[in-house]
Amino acid sequence: MRPATFPPQSVEGTGLQSRLHTVLPAPLRVEPADGVEFFLTPGTTIRTTPTPEATAVGRYLAELLRRPTGYPLPVVPAGRADAPGGISLLLTDDGTGPTPDSTGEGYVLEATASGVVIRAQTAAGLFYGVQTLRQLLPAKIESGRRQTGPWTVPGGRIEDAPRFAYRGAMLDVARHFFAVPHVLRFIDHLARYKLNHLHLHLTDDQGWRIAIDSWPRLTTVGGTTEVDGGPGGYYTQEQYREIVAYAAARHITVVPEIDLPGHTNAALTSYGALAPDGVAPPEYTGTDVGFSALAVHNELTYRFVDEVLGEVAALTPGPYLHIGGDEAFTLSLDDYRVFVDRVQPIVTGHGKRVMGWHQIAVAGPSAGRVIQYWGTGETDPAVTEAVAQGAQVVLSPGNRSYLDMKYDAGTPLGKDWAGLVEVRQAYDWDPGAYLAGVPAEAVLGVEAPLWTETIASVSDIEFMTFPRLPAIAELGWSPAAAHDWADFRLRLARQGDRWSAAGITFHRSPEVPWPGTPVVPGPRPAPAAPEAPAQAVAPADG
């Protein structure tokens, strides 16, 4: 059940108190000030602690609010004796901010009739406070066009901090390629719900999506295909840097995945010498898995791995390199272990932590290793043993968090190998107590993967992502005591009007009491612009 600070509220309610209690993910503590509200006006200013990090968050907020309100909302430095009024974003360690938490991502938001103040110890905390503030404003604040007010924020105080350090989603750009603007739009979706990791599945049998200078044929050959014979594509290193920078500005860490030793047909087609028989296989545009693998006893393979991972590591400031490791069905267990045991030191040698799908648990330990569990059961002895040896776990159970699973038998997109995953199925589990032998302190966090065998457009991405992504986001952010399906479905329903205002396609789940008119998948449109201006990026080559 929800803590006592979260009284029951009705989705039909339109009062100030009901809006304060509709934030998603659920905050730690909410203290409403009944009858109090703050009005955003043409004279409102945004004041920030005069540091580049805080100022950047202020500018982000201004860009979000200027489009629908039409107000100038200048961003100015906050003074020590600032007059009341406006919106203040303050970095503080003087005891007026949030109670320190292990992530440093907590914040306190206070709204009075004279202004809104968000305090945090880090810019990330300010950013997450901004995401809460946008949910306290009317739903039409999400529109890309000018709307009429009033623009009110309910009075009260919210104190908040995340449960888990790692809260993420994965986008598979290998099965179907998605150009840079599409990825930036997906990043904005993650930011709405305080997710802080974007896992990019960059390589697979159907395509190689990142340019590697030392192995150029990976993209000039391996990047030209995708599922169903589409044109494919890939990111130049500059384009990849653009994605990383855009994510970082939203306090999201990119986790690149180079899937090894299986799921490598695009690499083998590009460089036949890496294949077990030394012969390049034909291109592959189907959706079967498990038929490809690198030559694990060939020293050229490890030179290839070292050079590829070295270039990706140099482009990626985050701490993780994901090496895949799943579904290498053509390899014996001994050969698979030989490969992973050789590759893990390569990753750490490039200054990164090893991350991989849970199959890598059978290999020897590696300092800082993260096992990503995607199974559908609640026991895995190999993962339990890896945790006993010091590994951490990110939970992505296929029958709970996979965004590519069908909602029901009639869903036009997706697969059903892990079962049908409606919203309650995605929400009703506890990552901290899910996997036997894995204590809560060994759980780094949660991730919602979206595989794209059947996903080919931005509309497809959004239809499969919403409304399940906010469910996983709440499991990652909110305390276990706040997880309550009956309450969550009401708060989730309030998000529908926001998604409609933002032009986001979503599944109108029958489990959720949505207000208003549904947004349904239609012809695949050109993607809308990202939420904040980004430097123009040329289309990917290939």
Side-chain angles (χ1 to χ4, degrees):
M1 296 297 292
R2 298 285 293 281
T5 48
F6 293 87
Q9 40 89 19
S10 167
V11 73
E12 304 300 331
T14 57
L16 298 176
Q17 180 170 322
S18 67
R19 200 160 88 221
L20 198 74
H21 285 281
T22 59
V23 174
L24 198 162
L28 276 173
R29 282 176 284 278
V30 174
E31 300 172 6
D34 294 346
V36 175
E37 55 187 330
F38 168 72
F39 283 81
L40 197 68
T41 72
T44 299
T45 60
I46 297 174
R47 301 165 181 165
T48 75
T49 298
T51 67
E53 296 79 11
T55 302
V57 178
R59 289 173 178 165
Y60 169 88
L61 174 60
E63 289 296 328
L64 289 179
L65 303 184
R66 283 171 183 155
R67 290 175 297 172
T69 66
Y71 299 163
L73 297 167
V75 180
V76 300
R80 289 187 177 181
D82 249 3
I87 300 171
S88 297
L89 307 178
L90 306 178
L91 293 173
T92 178
D93 56 5
D94 61 2
T96 60
T99 301
D101 66 275
S102 60
T103 67
E105 296 174 317
Y107 66 92
V108 171
L109 183 152
E110 294 181 284
T112 66
S114 59
V116 175
V117 180
I118 299 173
R119 294 181 175 89
Q121 295 179 329
T122 66
L126 292 180
F127 184 82
Y128 298 132
V130 162
Q131 301 310 319
T132 293
L133 174 60
R134 70 192 288 192
Q135 289 190 36
L136 297 180
L137 285 157
K140 57 190 173 182
I141 201 70
E142 305 295 342
S143 175
R145 298 179 180 178
R146 187 167 181 175
Q147 305 289 317
T148 57
W151 303 105
T152 60
V153 177
R157 174 186 170 94
I158 292 175
E159 186 171 346
D160 206 3
R163 181 185 185 190
F164 294 113
Y166 187 110
R167 307 175 305 278
M170 188 206 79
L171 181 62
D172 170 15
V173 297
R175 270 53 178 273
H176 280 100
F177 178 68
F178 292 90
V180 170
H182 304 176
V183 178
L184 303 189
R185 183 171 171 88
F186 190 70
I187 289 169
D188 285 328
H189 296 334
L190 272 57
R192 288 174 180 270
Y193 298 104
K194 304 181 176 75
L195 296 170
N196 63 355
H197 287 81
L198 170 65
H199 173 180
L200 283 178
H201 184 75
L202 291 165
T203 69
D204 214 297
D205 293 313
Q206 298 85 354
W208 187 284
R209 306 303 182 202
I210 184 168
I212 302 297
D213 290 343
S214 54
W215 297 78
R217 287 173 56 85
L218 290 170
T219 45
T220 59
V221 175
T224 61
T225 50
E226 64 182 9
V227 167
D228 296 331
Y234 65 89
Y235 309 118
T236 66
Q237 293 194 0
E238 187 57 35
Q239 289 172 322
Y240 179 77
R241 289 189 188 96
E242 179 72 18
I243 292 170
V244 169
Y246 191 88
R250 286 145 185 80
H251 299 275
I252 292 172
T253 298
V254 171
V255 180
E257 180 185 352
I258 305 298
D259 205 346
L260 306 165
H263 291 275
T264 48
N265 197 79
L268 304 182
T269 299
S270 304
Y271 291 97
L274 299 171
D277 60 2
V279 177
E283 296 172 344
Y284 184 71
T285 59
T287 59
D288 289 340
V289 299
F291 60 87
S292 63
L294 295 167
V296 300
H297 297 292
N298 185 342
E299 286 304 310
L300 180 64
T301 291
Y302 300 101
R303 179 186 137 201
F304 164 78
V305 171
D306 185 30
E307 292 176 354
V308 168
L309 295 185
E311 289 194 35
V312 174
L315 294 167
T316 307
Y320 306 108
L321 269 184
H322 201 301
I323 60 171
D326 63 322
E327 298 173 326
F329 297 149
T330 64
L331 297 181
S332 69
L333 179 58
D334 286 344
D335 281 351
Y336 178 82
R337 284 172 168 157
V338 164
F339 179 84
V340 178
D341 284 340
R342 286 284 301 268
V343 170
Q344 288 184 143
I346 292 174
V347 173
T348 57
H350 288 295
K352 302 297 183 182
R353 294 176 65 179
V354 173
M355 192 168 182
W357 301 110
H358 68 261
Q359 283 78 7
I360 73 167
V362 300
S366 174
R369 184 168 64 161
V370 178
I371 307 293
Q372 186 169 3
Y373 180 76
W374 61 274
T376 58
E378 296 180 17
T379 61
D380 190 299
V383 173
T384 300
E385 177 61 23
V387 168
Q389 296 175 340
Q392 290 182 290
V393 177
V394 166
L395 273 299
S396 298
N399 58 340
R400 298 284 188 173
S401 69
Y402 267 38
L403 300 178
D404 57 303
M405 291 298 105
K406 291 177 177 288
Y407 293 99
D408 55 44
T411 305
L413 302 170
K415 295 192 169 189
D416 60 4
W417 63 263
L420 303 175
V421 182
E422 254 292 359
V423 187
R424 184 167 188 173
Q425 175 77 3
Y427 181 79
D428 248 353
W429 61 288
D430 180 3
Y434 182 79
L435 203 56
V438 178
E441 57 268 24
V443 176
L444 186 61
V446 293
E447 182 180 290
L450 178 61
W451 302 97
T452 61
E453 288 95 335
T454 68
I455 311 300
S457 72
V458 169
S459 179
D460 293 347
I461 288 174
E462 293 176 348
F463 179 73
M464 300 302 280
T465 296
F466 292 100
R468 291 179 292 196
L469 184 71
I472 302 302
E474 178 147 308
L475 297 184
W477 179 276
S478 304
H483 298 169
D484 182 333
W485 165 251
D487 177 75
F488 172 77
R489 67 192 287 269
L490 300 182
R491 287 181 291 115
L492 184 63
R494 300 290 284 266
Q495 299 296 309
D497 285 344
R498 295 182 178 276
W499 299 336
S500 295
I504 296 172
T505 302
F506 67 96
H507 165 60
R508 202 170 173 84
S509 169
E511 297 182 336
V512 179
W514 307 104
T517 304
V519 178
V520 297
R524 291 171 177 168
E531 288 182 348
Q535 182 178 352
V537 180
D541 298 332

